[in-house]
């Protein structure tokens, strides 16, 4: 089975802190994604990557950046955390062919105080 | 732009009964893929079923089936013989055939199966 592991299940940070959310997948998937999940809004794409060192903006990239130095690892970075970034963050991966289903991690619930 | 609409924020069903979750979408694409994902309290998003738009036959996976109406841009999920383990958030999602495998999600339907 595909395993997508997010390093933290719960995280509490202060406003202005730099925050790193880590995601690792073990199936040699080309594509990796970061989504944000908020009640009533569903999941919204922040960034995705289709190869090492490649990244593309999603629908809500403002206030975030990403890093993909190795194929299995995709990091989401909040340069200066703000309270409106309090949310559930979900990482996903899939192989690079069309119609490939996404495999998700268990999510990181981030609270910014 | 693609949009996915789930008009039922919450639903409930008696155990062993059948329930249908609705989903509509808007797109100018002709070829695309549709998915239903389940998110139980554990938060793990699990793929329930998927449908290719070029296929007229509705997809089925055990107790789960879809009613795909391409002209109406409708993609409903039917759960038969509902079980307590079906209690979860259900998300409908759309994927374009071209470009990256990005999913566009609806806002979700919270389903509760009542014993």
């Amino acid at each position: 089975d595909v395993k997508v592991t997010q390093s933290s299940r719960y995280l509490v940070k202060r406003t202005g802190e730099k925050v790193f959310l880590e995601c690792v997948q073990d199936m040699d998937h080309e594509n990796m994604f970061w989504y944000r999940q908020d009640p009533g809004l569903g999941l919204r794409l922040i960034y995705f990557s289709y190869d090492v060192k490649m990244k593309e903006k999603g629908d809500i990239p403002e206030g975030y950046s990403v890093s993909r130095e190795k194929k299995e690892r995709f990091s989401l970075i909040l340069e200066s955390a703000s309270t409106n970034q309090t949310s559930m963050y979900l990482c996903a991966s899939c192989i690079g062919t069309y119609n490939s289903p996404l495999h998700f991690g268990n999510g990181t619930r981030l609270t910014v105080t | 732009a693609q949009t996915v609409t789930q008009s039922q924020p919450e639903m409930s069903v008696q155990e062993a009964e059948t329930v249908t979750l609705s989903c509509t979408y808007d797109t100018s694409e002709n070829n695309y893929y549709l998915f239903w994902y389940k998110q139980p309290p554990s938060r793990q998003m699990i793929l329930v079923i998927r449908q290719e738009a070029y296929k007229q036959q509705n997809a089925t996976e055990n107790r789960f089936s879809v009613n795909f109406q391409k002209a109406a841009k409708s993609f409903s999920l039917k759960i038969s013989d509902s079980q307590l383990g079906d209690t979860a958030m259900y998300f409908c999602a759309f994927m374009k055939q071209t470009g990256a495998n990005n999913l566009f999600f609806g806002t979700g339907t919270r389903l509760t199966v009542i014993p």
Side-chain angles (χ1 to χ4, degrees):
Chain A
D1 274 355
V2 176
K3 194 165 178 68
V4 180
T5 303
Q6 295 184 229
S7 55
S8 303
R9 193 158 173 84
Y10 297 94
L11 209 52
V12 180
K13 296 292 182 180
R14 293 192 180 276
T15 302
E17 277 194 79
K18 189 169 186 176
V19 181
F20 293 86
L21 302 185
E22 306 288 346
C23 175
V24 177
Q25 49 92 6
D26 66 357
M27 283 301 291
D28 203 36
H29 284 172
E30 291 84 2
N31 298 347
M32 296 188 75
F33 306 81
W34 275 107
Y35 285 89
R36 170 176 172 160
Q37 181 179 2
D38 299 288
L41 296 177
L43 280 75
R44 294 176 292 166
L45 181 66
I46 305 171
Y47 268 96
F48 66 96
S49 168
Y50 52 88
D51 202 351
V52 176
K53 296 192 186 294
M54 305 301 288
K55 61 183 179 184
E56 294 285 342
K57 292 180 180 179
D59 299 319
I60 52 165
E62 296 78 19
Y64 303 95
S65 63
V66 291
S67 172
R68 194 168 181 199
E69 296 296 318
K70 293 184 178 181
K71 191 175 185 180
E72 68 271 18
R73 185 180 298 268
F74 191 36
S75 303
L76 180 69
I77 304 158
L78 287 66
E79 295 289 342
S80 177
S82 64
T83 54
N84 63 12
Q85 292 178 310
T86 291
S87 187
M88 172 78 78
Y89 291 87
L90 291 167
C91 176
S93 72
C94 71
I95 61 176
T97 55
Y98 297 126
N99 192 24
S100 301
L102 271 61
H103 300 267
F104 285 84
N106 278 353
T108 296
R109 188 174 297 280
L110 172 67
T111 301
V112 183
T113 60
Chain B
Q2 282 62 231
T3 58
V4 179
T5 302
Q6 294 179 250
S7 58
Q8 305 151 314
E10 294 188 15
M11 293 189 72
S12 61
V13 62
Q14 290 290 141
E15 193 174 7
E17 296 294 308
T18 295
V19 64
T20 299
L21 310 184
S22 65
C23 172
T24 58
Y25 58 93
D26 188 24
T27 184
S28 58
E29 305 281 326
N30 189 48
N31 294 315
Y32 46 87
Y33 308 102
L34 296 162
F35 302 81
W36 277 98
Y37 276 85
K38 166 186 176 181
Q39 186 181 43
S42 67
R43 299 179 349 202
Q44 178 76 54
M45 292 280 279
I46 302 164
L47 177 65
V48 175
I49 199 166
R50 58 178 159 174
Q51 174 83 42
E52 291 87 351
Y54 63 85
K55 288 186 178 179
Q56 293 188 342
Q57 186 172 7
N58 289 324
T60 300
E61 287 286 342
N62 299 315
R63 297 183 295 107
F64 299 89
S65 62
V66 298
N67 183 4
F68 173 50
Q69 303 289 329
K70 190 174 183 179
K73 296 181 181 175
S74 170
F75 183 60
S76 61
L77 174 70
K78 186 171 83 170
I79 306 174
S80 303
D81 186 26
S82 296
Q83 301 175 0
L84 297 179
D86 295 333
T87 292
M89 280 288 288
Y90 286 82
F91 291 96
C92 178
F94 172 100
M95 180 188 288
K96 294 195 294 184
Q97 187 183 43
T98 56
N101 299 48
N102 177 29
L103 284 172
F104 297 89
F105 285 88
T107 53
T109 296
R110 184 176 300 280
L111 177 68
T112 302
V113 180
I114 302 165

